[in-house]
Every structure is written in C-alpha cells, then in structure tokens.
Amino acid sequence: MTSDVSSPKNPLLSSPLAPAGVAAPQREERAATTAGQLAALRAGDPALVVEVSLDADLAGWLEAMGIGPGQTLTVLRRAAFGGPIHVRAGSGGEFAIDAALARSILVAPVTSQGRRA
C-alpha cells in the first residue's frame, strides 16, 4: 500500500511546520512581515519605520522631520538611476531622501489600517 504524502487528506502535511512546531507562515505572509530598507520600497508602498541606522545627530534630524521609529512613510515616487526617493511622512511632510540615506532606514510593510503587517 502506498500513501501519497502530498495528498490533502494528510492534515499534518497540509501546513508546513516551523522548527518550533508552529505552523510556518505562507510565502506571501513571510514577505509581508519582513522588514527591509526604505530604498527597496516601490512607489505607493506604505511602511512603518522600524530602525534608523545612522549617527545620533542625523537620526535625530530625521525624527524631527517625522522619519523615525514608529512613524509611517509612503513612497510617492523614485528618481531614475538610483536618485532620491520622494516620501510622505505620516505627519504630512514630503521629503526627497538620498538613496544612500534610504538604505539606512529599516521599514516594515503596513496594512491598510496603518499597522505593521
């Protein structure tokens, strides 16, 4: 008698398990919950600032403009050839951020309610 391990009849194999024994998120969920660089976001993507990896003075300046941990940002447009990224902060301010600076800002996608995905 052979058993088909990919069969949907086997409930243990219908949901992949993480090492801790908890059901692992599906590929789409994993992508939505991972943090990445602001520089990697596409136009129209809203995100929550998780971390700013810059010296204290520059990080403080960005936070004063509304670009700090816990703040939401939306990418409005991206310049060609690795140029600046035009973003809107949750406070309503719009800024052009140098691509190198945007690589130092860690963000996570947010849901339509403004919460981290």
Side-chain angles (χ1 to χ4, degrees), residues 52-114:
V52 178
S53 301
L54 298 166
D55 64 69
D57 289 338
L58 190 51
W61 175 72
L62 284 173
E63 192 161 359
M65 293 192 317
I67 303 173
Q71 303 295 322
T72 57
L73 298 175
T74 302
V75 175
L76 299 177
R77 64 185 66 85
R78 303 173 57 84
F81 307 110
I85 299 167
H86 183 191
V87 299
R88 179 181 296 129
S91 61
E94 293 185 14
F95 309 96
I97 298 179
D98 180 69
L101 182 63
R103 286 189 291 275
S104 300
I105 301 171
L106 187 65
V107 296
V110 294
T111 63
S112 59
Q113 293 84 22

Side-chain angles (χ1 to χ4, degrees), residues 32-36 41 46-50 106-111 115-117:
T33 58
T34 57
L41 291 181
L48 179 72
V49 177
V50 175
L106 187 65
V107 296
V110 294
T111 63
R115 295 188 194 106
R116 185 175 174 179

